[in-house]
Amino acid sequence: MDSRFLRRPPRSTFQPELRSSALPGTQRQALLQKHLWLWALLGLTAVRFLMAWIIPLSPEEAYHWNFARHLDWSYYDHPPMLGWAIALGRLFFGDTELGVRFVPLLFSTGTAALLARLAQRFYGEWAAAWTVFLLAVNPCVLVIGAWGFPDAPLLFFWSLTLGLVWRALEREQGAWWLGAGAALGAAMLSKYTAAFLVPSIFGYVIFSTRHRRWLATPWPYLGGVIALGVFMPVVYWNWTHDWASFRFQSTARFAAANDFKWRAGGVFLGEQWLAILPLTLPLGIVAFWQALRSWRTEDHFLLWLFLPMIGFFWMFGFTPSYHVLWALPAYLSLTVLMAGAVVGGQTMVARLYRDRIKWIGAAAACLLVVSVSHAAWVLPGISPLRETYGWDQIAARAKAEREILLATGASGASHGSGMASIASQTKRIEDRGSRIENRVSMLVSRSSILDPRLSPGPGVFYLAIGNRSYPCPSQLAFHLNAPEQVHGSSLFGIHNLQYQYWSHPKELLGQDAVVVLESGINDAWICGMLAQHFQSVEAAGELILPIGKLPIGRKRQVRYLFFRAHGYRGLQ
């Protein structure tokens, strides 16, 4: 991308569109420059597809792939849009990394296009190109907003809602409010934080002398009714599951935010800077300050789409319960404000970004190459991504152990002698048994979508347990392509996110299991739980995997233990 294109200010005069075939060379080049943001978007999309092909599936994406293999109206910790999107991607690319990421990649391209068009209407052609560039140097938008995370559809439908609401305001046509309501409902089907669109939009309309009249019309309220109608699948799922998801994402979150810590707030702000604005923080501050002082309705509109969400989660960031991605949609409107500030502003910061676009792009490219190389091959001296590597080997070993169990065919007491292999490990935790039982939550219930005719296999299933609740069963299920056969710690009665609805302990009574245990500080406790919930357990060895594919540097290792467990007893 030629940096001189991005340094030019937006044109102030209107020029009619002409067909490029009827133009001489210089005018044809000018027309191509006018649509530079489209070329930038195509380049960004190509980079994202390359990343999706190179980088292995994260544990979160494997967990969300399980959503697509257990289609439902909603899920315990997320609404259903991402699960539906991954299910659509599977139709084209199967159960592969690209199958998981294909539709989210389309969402990310749509997000950039919608925001570029909004910037084009607000600040001109060059602001549209700058918007695409600023999204490309936002790490979270570049990666999380384009892969198998609920943020991908959230950012798309959030941007679509912004565009449709502004079109209703700009054209003074009430029907656009209906489309905005449908987009808002789809955003809430993606992630609950989309609800912040409501106070943002109504806050702007209430305080806007130009657009306040819409409150006296039925159109915004009809849009709200449509949004609720689109959101009804989530309401239905919660109604049939004791409002579990609503309680988890509301009262449980607030209960966890039970302390105010300055250090937590500092960490949160640092993460926001490094994960979202690593190269653009000065420009973001300038754009925010200019919007506060501006009299333009466009600036006020974008400011209102930024302030409510960012204010709430910045305060929440000073508590123990927060996540760096929760406030991500708010930065979309700030990105458009930054694009407007850099093309039309005469501040020192705006001139610096215009004049140093090549250096900023080069720095972003270097960071991208290093990050992608580390995620794909693991660079020496940098901590690897958690629960991401070696799952092909782990799945192959687990499958071989299952074949052994199927070949022996014996279950129950005939394997009682195998208990001696873990007796020394379980003895250390026997005195803590009563306290463990008090902490165990019996939260297993039946999913409304899983076909009861599906069987986990002829008497043998997989039980994957790690240091976190969902990564190990999710990754094992993906790499085995056997989501109905893989279960997690919910078979012990332990809270395990959506797995507590996918696993049915009563249907597994008496069956054998291949146990895959991520070795860690809880090994002895897990062995005790195995002894409690199976008639007999025998050790089946271990698998030590070096993390990293590069032939240089010292590689970190991960260790997995395997057990053959006989005769599942159910919840105790």
Side-chain angles (χ1 to χ4, degrees):
M1 181 185 300
D2 194 335
S3 63
R4 71 177 184 274
F5 297 159
L6 296 181
R7 289 201 296 264
R8 296 178 60 180
R11 293 187 178 91
S12 58
T13 58
F14 172 77
Q15 293 185 355
E17 297 286 346
L18 297 174
R19 291 184 300 175
S20 59
S21 60
L23 295 173
T26 56
Q27 290 178 303
R28 188 158 53 244
Q29 179 67 19
L31 186 60
L32 291 175
Q33 293 175 11
K34 180 178 180 180
H35 296 291
L36 175 64
W37 68 271
L38 287 173
W39 295 103
L41 180 58
L42 290 174
L44 177 60
T45 302
V47 169
R48 281 172 160 162
F49 268 93
L50 179 63
M51 293 167 59
W53 177 58
I54 292 177
I55 298 177
L57 206 69
S58 70
E60 290 80 9
E61 291 177 291
Y63 177 54
H64 300 146
W65 170 84
N66 277 271
F67 286 9
R69 297 298 301 267
H70 299 84
L71 287 175
D72 208 337
W73 294 113
S74 189
Y75 303 94
Y76 175 73
D77 46 341
H78 287 299
M81 182 64 75
L82 179 62
W84 299 349
I86 294 175
L88 180 60
R90 290 182 62 240
L91 297 179
F92 296 96
F93 298 100
D95 294 301
T96 63
E97 285 83 353
L98 189 56
V100 173
R101 294 167 175 167
F102 177 68
V103 176
L105 281 165
L106 298 182
F107 278 135
S108 69
T109 302
T111 298
L114 289 168
L115 292 177
R117 289 300 303 270
L118 192 65
Q120 186 182 47
R121 290 201 296 267
F122 284 7
Y123 306 113
E125 298 291 343
W126 305 115
W130 267 98
T131 297
V132 176
F133 175 77
L134 293 171
L135 290 173
V137 299
N138 182 325
C140 278
V141 172
L142 179 66
V143 178
I144 304 299
W147 287 5
F149 293 83
D151 305 272
L154 169 66
L155 297 182
F156 172 79
F157 289 111
W158 182 287
S159 303
L160 182 61
T161 305
L162 263 63
L164 292 174
V165 168
W166 184 255
R167 185 153 294 191
L169 300 174
E170 183 182 39
R171 298 192 176 184
E172 297 187 348
Q173 296 176 347
W176 289 104
W177 282 102
L178 306 183
L184 171 60
M188 293 182 66
L189 282 179
S190 304
K191 205 169 183 178
Y192 292 132
T193 49
F196 279 92
L197 280 166
V198 177
S200 294
I201 293 171
F202 275 92
Y204 167 76
V205 173
I206 290 171
F207 287 96
S208 171
T209 56
R210 177 182 171 185
H211 296 125
R212 191 180 301 149
R213 70 173 187 84
W214 283 104
L215 296 175
T217 72
W219 294 107
Y221 311 105
L222 289 175
V225 171
I226 291 176
L228 286 176
V230 174
F231 186 62
M232 281 305 295
V234 177
V235 177
Y236 171 76
W237 187 94
N238 276 272
W239 176 57
T240 57
H241 292 79
D242 194 28
W243 310 104
S245 182
F246 287 163
R247 288 188 288 107
F248 172 68
Q249 297 289 11
S250 57
T251 57
R253 295 291 190 188
F254 282 106
N258 55 6
D259 192 15
F260 182 92
K261 294 183 178 180
W262 287 106
R263 184 179 181 276
V267 172
F268 174 76
L269 295 177
E271 288 180 350
Q272 296 287 293
W273 166 45
L274 293 174
I276 299 176
L277 302 172
L279 300 176
T280 56
L281 180 61
L283 182 60
I285 294 173
V286 168
F288 176 71
W289 178 247
Q290 288 182 347
L292 284 176
R293 301 175 59 192
S294 174
W295 291 97
R296 298 181 73 244
T297 55
E298 294 88 349
D299 294 342
H300 291 174
F301 178 73
L302 293 172
L303 195 61
W304 269 101
L305 269 298
F306 174 73
L307 282 175
M309 172 177 264
I310 205 68
F312 177 84
F313 284 119
W314 276 6
M315 290 187 295
F316 217 71
F318 285 85
T319 72
S321 177
Y322 72 88
H323 196 286
V324 67
L325 297 178
W326 286 349
L328 186 59
Y331 290 97
L332 298 182
S333 55
L334 182 64
T335 299
V336 179
L337 283 171
M338 288 192 291
V342 77
V343 299
Q346 297 303 318
T347 65
M348 179 182 68
V349 172
R351 291 195 300 270
L352 177 66
Y353 275 84
R354 286 198 298 266
D355 295 339
R356 297 292 183 266
I357 177 64
K358 286 184 177 180
W359 292 99
I360 298 171
C366 290
L367 289 174
L368 179 64
V369 170
V370 171
S371 301
V372 172
S373 299
H374 178 61
W377 300 294
V378 185
L379 300 179
I382 306 177
S383 297
L385 302 178
R386 297 174 64 184
E387 299 117 346
T388 302
Y389 308 101
W391 283 100
D392 285 332
Q393 298 96 309
I394 297 169
R397 174 67 178 274
K399 189 173 182 180
E401 294 295 337
R402 184 173 186 268
E403 294 298 324
I404 293 174
L405 281 175
L406 290 173
T408 58
S411 177
S414 61
H415 296 275
S417 60
M419 284 303 297
S421 63
I422 64 169
S424 61
Q425 300 180 65
T426 60
K427 189 178 188 308
R428 290 178 294 173
I429 65 161
E430 287 177 354
D431 60 339
R432 294 190 295 158
S434 59
R435 283 183 292 165
I436 292 172
E437 286 296 321
N438 290 334
R439 293 202 309 243
V440 172
S441 57
M442 315 296 284
L443 296 175
V444 180
S445 63
R446 181 174 298 275
S447 169
S448 61
I449 195 68
L450 190 62
D451 189 342
R453 293 172 297 178
L454 294 175
S455 171
V460 178
F461 60 90
Y462 299 97
L463 176 58
I465 302 174
N467 296 317
R468 292 193 293 166
S469 63
Y470 65 87
C472 282
S474 300
Q475 289 279 31
L476 186 62
F478 177 81
H479 287 82
L480 287 170
N481 195 15
E484 296 86 4
Q485 298 178 15
V486 181
H487 305 271
S489 57
S490 59
L491 295 189
F492 296 162
I494 300 174
H495 180 88
N496 195 23
L497 297 180
Q498 185 63 33
Y499 280 95
Q500 61 188 308
Y501 299 100
W502 290 334
S503 298
H504 310 305
K506 291 183 179 179
E507 298 179 2
L508 303 175
L509 289 175
Q511 294 189 20
D512 297 344
V514 174
V515 180
V516 180
L517 171 61
E518 180 188 13
S519 182
I521 59 175
N522 294 321
D523 289 2
W525 180 75
I526 295 298
C527 288
M529 297 299 286
L530 289 173
Q532 180 180 346
H533 289 84
F534 287 89
Q535 295 180 25
S536 65
V537 181
E538 57 180 312
E542 64 181 14
L543 185 61
I544 299 177
L545 298 170
I547 300 301
K549 299 180 180 180
L550 297 178
I552 59 174
R554 183 178 180 182
K555 294 180 175 59
R556 188 170 300 191
Q557 294 180 332
V558 292
R559 180 170 175 254
Y560 286 85
L561 307 178
F562 293 81
F563 299 92
R564 302 182 196 119
H566 306 277
Y568 176 61
R569 293 172 172 171
L571 298 177
Q572 301 297 308

